[in-house]
Amino acid sequence: MIDLKKLDYSEFEILVGLLLEREGCTIIRGPGGPGTKGPDYEAVSPVGTPLVVEVKHFTRLGISQVMQFIGDLERYRQQNANTQGLLVVSS
């Protein structure tokens, strides 16, 4: 079993990417590093649905972060209305 407390943010992002792939997603764009704008991953689900993924590791999730993710998702939906969002939080 993986102890999430021992992972830093980049290791946690990588873990999320591995789990997405394990579930059958195809990663289009993967984590950019700290301070990167936009979602951490762009992927395609096993059934072909576009997916944007935001990863937060041991961060107190505030309403501003949730609203930013919603804004990112809405921008992606302007290009493809079927885009789904996934917010992954370790705490």
Side-chain angles (χ1 to χ4, degrees), residues 40-65:
D40 294 303
Y41 285 97
E42 293 176 32
V44 177
S45 77
V47 296
T49 304
L51 182 64
V52 291
V53 182
E54 181 68 26
V55 180
K56 298 294 182 193
H57 184 45
F58 290 116
T59 301
R60 287 187 58 112
L61 194 62
I63 189 69
S64 64
Q65 292 169 312

Side-chain angles (χ1 to χ4, degrees), residues 25-89:
C25 294
T26 301
I27 305 294
I28 305 301
R29 185 186 63 79
T36 303
K37 299 290 184 196
D40 294 303
Y41 285 97
E42 293 176 32
V44 177
S45 77
V47 296
T49 304
L51 182 64
V52 291
V53 182
E54 181 68 26
V55 180
K56 298 294 182 193
H57 184 45
F58 290 116
T59 301
R60 287 187 58 112
L61 194 62
I63 189 69
S64 64
Q65 292 169 312
V66 173
M67 295 305 292
Q68 181 176 343
F69 178 64
I70 291 170
D72 289 342
L73 180 57
E74 288 304 316
R75 280 189 291 284
Y76 278 85
R77 285 184 173 163
Q78 289 174 2
Q79 297 171 8
N80 186 330
N82 295 325
T83 301
Q84 297 294 305
L86 177 63
L87 180 60
V88 180
V89 182

Side-chain angles (χ1 to χ4, degrees), residues 7-28:
L7 300 179
D8 67 23
Y9 76 91
S10 62
E11 292 169 326
F12 185 67
E13 284 181 341
I14 291 168
L15 175 63
V16 170
L18 292 171
L19 291 171
L20 288 169
E21 288 177 334
R22 181 177 178 197
E23 292 299 313
C25 294
T26 301
I27 305 294
I28 305 301

